[in-house]
């Protein structure tokens, strides 16, 4: 099985590396060629365009930043320039692992289907560490037999991989994941801000609350970093805003009112407005503290 | 050490029972005498008033519903009728395990102090099951030596017990706990609502999201009950609204803006307005679904 890989950012480079390590032949392309060099040094072959990757591959993976890039790579530029879905070969499999729009995933699957090809949406959670350690959770939407055939590749990159349904179901599941994280993070940051203002010892508070009904992955993993004033990503605020915007667009399309998610998205707009777009998602603490006149990094 | 116990509701009865089981002599009182009968059958002695309990005890515990009751029992009726703090004996220890106002806990400690007595605030988390299984997390504010002297009693009722600081620190820590739960529950309910509207299989979605960065105690424990349409308490909506109101009052006093907590409190007002005040906190799902025109209990 000849593998193609498009997009070798922080996540993509690790994920592609795991596939190389399993011995699959890999052809790759990325916007920034320098980022592919470590993978080329390990045996991957460079190609000059997404189309050239697809020409050389039976299964093409993409790991891109924003839905606009996904649309362009898969469906072309709208001016007649082809995309890898619109130009797919019969039997070819295209897997988008970016977090993107469910409706776009469905449109890509339809475009692939008219060529006799298969498109699968497979966004992930677990962040850069999960990618590096091959411990991602992969949320998969697509044709059942196709998803099954890719099992050696899912298991190369992830610890949990679940087919959630047809095209778009992977993206929808990722939205569920992001809604949970977004609103939960508000609770973590407000609780730590309250504890600080009330004069509590935060480490001792975590002893009381982290392992009970108030406990969460976010509290256990981001709580200590927030208290230490370490806001390095992790996961970029600006990517998280993209995800929440997709979720809110979908919610509107589905006729849903999600006030918690809407609040989270607005608060994260503030995080970006304050200059923390390239910090980690837990930088919400800085914006929430600023709203109350607290300089979190200079607190006593 | 002669123990007094005031308030034998669902939580209080279990907690008092553990103290009896350790062999301490217990004198008790509760608004509804019938609720004390199982404890009396196990050897506890009934007293006709909170004051009569205090007269017969070295250490008095209270487990009451609302701050108004706490104020009345500890500080009297404001019309000259005495409270157990204002009438305390030198060396006596008074422990309020209700979730109540931090400022009230401080006022009670001051009143006790003028009598040479000690007041401790020690609210708990872990719910009815935690109380029954002696697995509560007890968040303690009060004089250090006093808190230490009560160790055999904390360990009879709880698994985790941490002194968080002086008077009021236990209540403040409980507020941190409730802020986490309140905002986290919005995320759980909105995520499940989105998943439903998007046509996903909720059990499979939980496989993908519950053990990763989106995971929380609330999701793992309430998610399945919400999906099964089981909204029995657990923890009453109306008590939770009380806790959030205390937290918001304190936040205002501390000069904090906590928009997530404020939203949660308003959404829970809706839960109560829809008639679910005596359901469990996860009944937030019913109100959020109703806001989007979804009858959660009749969904396909």
């Amino acid at each position: 099985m000849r593998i193609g890989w498009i997009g070798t950012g922080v996540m993509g480079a690790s994920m592609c590396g795991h596939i190389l390590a399993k011995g699959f032949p890999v052809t790759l392309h990325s916007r920034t060629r320098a980022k592919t060099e470590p993978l080329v040094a390990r045996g991957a072959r460079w190609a000059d365009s997404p189309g050239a990757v697809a020409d050389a591959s039976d299964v093409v993976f993409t790991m891109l930043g924003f839905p606009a890039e996904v649309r362009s790579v898969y469906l072309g530029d709208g001016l007649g320039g082809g995309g890898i879905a619109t130009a797919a070969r019969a039997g070819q499999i295209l897997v988008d692992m970016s977090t993107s729009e469910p409706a776009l995933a469905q449109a890509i699957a339809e475009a692939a289907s008219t060529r006799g090809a298969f498109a699968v949406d497979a966004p992930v959670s677990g962040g850069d560490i999960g990618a590096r350690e091959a411990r991602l959770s992969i949320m998969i939407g697509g044709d059942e037999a196709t998803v099954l055939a890719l099992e050696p590749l899912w298991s190369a990159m992830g610890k949990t991989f679940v087919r959630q349904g047809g095209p778009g179901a992977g993206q929808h599941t990722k939205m569920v994941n992001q809604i949970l994280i977004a609103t939960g993070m508000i609770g973590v940051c407000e609780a730590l801000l309250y504890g600080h203002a009330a004069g509590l010892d935060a480490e001792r508070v975590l002893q009381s609350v982290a392992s009970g009904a108030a406990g969460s992955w976010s509290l256990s993993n981001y709580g200590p970093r927030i208290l230490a004033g370490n806001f390095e990503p992790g996961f970029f605020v600006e990517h998280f805003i993209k995800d929440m915007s997709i979720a809110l667009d979908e919610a509107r399309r589905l006729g849903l009112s999600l006030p918690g998610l809407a609040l989270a998205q607005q608060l994260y707009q503030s995080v970006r407005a304050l200059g923390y777009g390239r910090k980690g998602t837990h930088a919400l603490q800085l914006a929430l503290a600023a709203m109350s006149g607290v300089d979190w990094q200079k607190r006593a």
Side-chain angles (χ1 to χ4, degrees), chain A:
Chain A
M1 200 155 33
R2 297 171 305 155
I3 306 299
W5 194 281
I6 300 167
T8 54
V10 176
M11 302 285 293
S14 290
M15 294 157 73
C16 179
H18 294 307
I19 289 176
L20 263 181
K22 291 278 179 193
F24 290 99
V26 174
T27 303
L28 52 66
H29 177 81
S30 199
R31 228 168 22 183
T32 311
R33 183 163 181 173
K35 290 190 181 170
T36 66
E37 281 165 9
L39 294 162
V40 168
R42 291 171 59 192
R45 202 167 64 83
W46 167 261
D48 278 327
S49 70
V53 170
D55 286 345
S57 310
D58 304 308
V59 181
V60 181
F61 290 90
T62 53
M63 190 63 175
L64 306 165
F66 289 85
E69 294 167 64
V70 173
R71 179 178 294 277
S72 162
V73 165
Y74 278 87
L75 302 178
D77 58 15
L79 303 168
I84 62 173
T86 46
R89 299 188 306 278
Q92 199 173 27
I93 301 174
L94 310 175
V95 184
D96 184 25
M97 303 192 76
S98 326
T99 295
S100 176
E101 298 161 1
L104 177 56
Q106 287 159 0
I108 289 169
E110 276 164 38
S113 166
T114 63
R115 308 280 300 181
F118 301 93
V120 174
D121 51 300
V124 303
S125 82
D128 53 339
I129 297 170
R132 204 157 54 232
E133 298 179 351
R135 294 169 48 83
L136 295 169
S137 173
I138 310 175
M139 297 159 259
I140 310 169
D143 171 68
E144 193 159 5
T146 305
V147 172
L148 203 63
L150 296 175
E151 204 277 338
L153 294 151
W154 306 133
S155 64
M157 295 182 280
K159 197 182 67 161
T160 306
F161 39 96
V162 181
R163 179 180 173 271
Q164 294 289 348
Q171 296 297 350
H172 273 311
T173 303
K174 179 68 187 277
M175 292 301 118
V176 170
N177 192 77
Q178 301 305 71
I179 293 168
L180 286 162
I181 291 176
T183 314
M185 192 69 85
I186 301 176
V188 168
C189 294
E190 290 191 2
L192 293 178
L193 180 62
Y194 178 99
H196 163 68
L200 298 175
D201 175 323
E203 317 288 342
R204 259 188 283 172
V205 169
L206 290 181
Q207 279 177 44
S208 279
V209 307
S211 63
S216 67
W217 191 97
S218 286
L219 181 64
S220 297
N221 286 273
Y222 286 122
R225 292 193 229 177
I226 291 169
L227 294 173
N230 170 11
F231 294 101
E232 292 313 301
F235 184 59
F236 286 131
V237 164
E238 59 190 27
H239 287 157
F240 197 43
I241 292 176
K242 171 202 65 165
D243 295 358
M244 288 186 282
S245 301
I246 295 172
L248 282 168
D249 284 348
E250 282 297 318
R252 191 177 55 223
R253 205 180 57 76
L254 294 166
L256 295 180
S257 166
L258 301 181
L261 176 62
L263 174 62
Q265 199 239 21
Q266 290 299 307
L267 290 175
Y268 272 98
Q269 304 270 35
S270 167
V271 179
R272 184 165 57 185
L274 295 176
Y276 307 123
R278 300 289 287 177
K279 295 293 181 188
T281 50
H282 53 305
L284 177 60
Q285 188 72 41
L286 300 173
L288 274 168
M291 281 176 64
S292 291
V294 174
D295 184 332
W296 186 259
Q297 298 294 51
K298 292 192 181 148
R299 72 196 192 281

